[in-house]
Amino acid sequence: MTVRLIVRTFSELCLTVGTVIVLFVVYVMYWTGVQAQSATAGQIDILEREWVDRPVAETVTAAPPPEPYRAGRGIAVMYVPRLGKDWEWPVLEGTSPGVLKKGLGHYPATARLGETGNFSVAGHRRTYGDPFKDFPRLRPGDAVVLTDGTTWYTYRVARAPLRTVPTDIGVIDPVPRKSGFDGPGRYLTLTTCEPEWGSSHRLIVWAHLDATQPVTQGKPLALTG
């Protein structure tokens, strides 16, 4: 009788644990994606509504003075054609877990978009919409396009993704270490986790600003060609 009770209790425990594991996998692989889809769409909508009433310059040099970035608020929308024709993600200020559930995150200590220095952005490889799932596909010459509502910024990837450790913070320096850049410039750094379902390392991609144009001139060639 005691043996039967032990076996039954153990079986019920295994069933419970198995159910919890399945539910956790569903949450990680599916539900976080549903949450991210709603959150990112909401962030893009907020940005676009803010941009409607913003003065738009006819030339980049005539653009109004930039507003300070505010923690947790959207600052731009990013497009990477290599990762899909419909790949579109908001970039928010900060890299906290809460921010990265809503989109990509700008490292606050790095340069502003389009300015001299290193505009650095982090994103999830997996979960919360998998924004950088295909990060290893990026290649030299690929376009990374951003807009802040007044200007289009087209960056070009300088080299294939580099694998490094999380403590290698020099990758977001104004002139990033190991990037191959030999002096000050207008750079972009993208970072994500490596391996795909882990976080023991990081994958890094660097790019340099290739072109800018006001939004009044339409989308850049990198998005329409």
Side-chain angles (χ1 to χ4, degrees):
M1 190 70 178
T2 303
V3 173
R4 182 179 299 176
L5 180 61
I6 292 174
V7 170
R8 186 173 67 183
T9 302
F10 180 73
S11 298
E12 291 175 352
L13 179 61
C14 288
L15 182 60
T16 300
V17 171
T19 301
V20 170
I21 291 173
V22 169
L23 290 174
F24 178 73
V25 170
V26 170
Y27 172 78
V28 169
M29 297 187 66
Y30 175 73
W31 186 244
T32 60
V34 173
Q35 291 177 311
Q37 184 176 19
S38 174
T40 56
Q43 289 298 319
I44 291 175
D45 183 61
I46 290 171
L47 275 171
E48 290 178 343
R49 283 190 279 111
E50 289 177 351
W51 293 342
V52 167
D53 298 322
R54 181 188 296 176
V56 177
E58 293 300 323
T59 64
V60 172
T61 56
E67 297 180 359
Y69 291 160
R70 290 182 286 173
R73 298 293 299 273
I75 57 179
V77 178
M78 181 184 291
Y79 306 82
V80 185
R82 169 72 73 177
L83 302 184
K85 64 179 182 179
D86 297 322
W87 196 97
E88 176 187 35
W89 283 83
V91 180
L92 293 79
E93 178 67 358
T95 57
S96 68
V99 167
L100 295 180
K101 290 179 180 179
K102 301 176 183 178
L104 308 177
H106 169 246
Y107 289 90
T110 66
R112 294 177 60 92
L113 177 60
E115 293 187 353
T116 298
N118 184 9
F119 181 77
S120 301
V121 176
H124 280 298
R125 181 87 175 272
R126 283 292 197 173
T127 71
Y128 295 102
D130 306 335
F132 283 152
K133 176 174 68 71
D134 295 323
F135 199 92
R137 294 180 54 205
L138 293 171
R139 293 293 180 267
D142 284 348
V144 180
V145 182
L146 297 103
T147 182
D148 61 3
T150 61
T151 305
W152 288 102
Y153 301 88
T154 300
Y155 290 83
R156 292 288 174 181
V157 173
R159 54 173 292 176
L162 171 77
R163 187 173 187 264
T164 189
V165 294
T167 55
D168 187 7
I169 60 174
V171 299
I172 61 172
D173 281 351
V175 181
R177 303 174 191 175
K178 306 175 186 176
S179 65
F181 302 142
D182 57 6
R186 293 186 288 178
Y187 304 128
L188 168 72
T189 297
L190 305 179
T191 75
T192 194
C193 290
E194 167 72 3
E196 191 170 342
W197 288 101
S199 59
S200 62
H201 288 74
R202 297 289 184 268
L203 284 183
I204 313 296
V205 156
W206 291 292
H208 59 86
L209 189 63
D210 182 60
T212 62
Q213 67 183 61
V215 296
T216 53
Q217 294 181 5
K219 292 184 176 180
L221 183 61
L223 296 181
T224 60

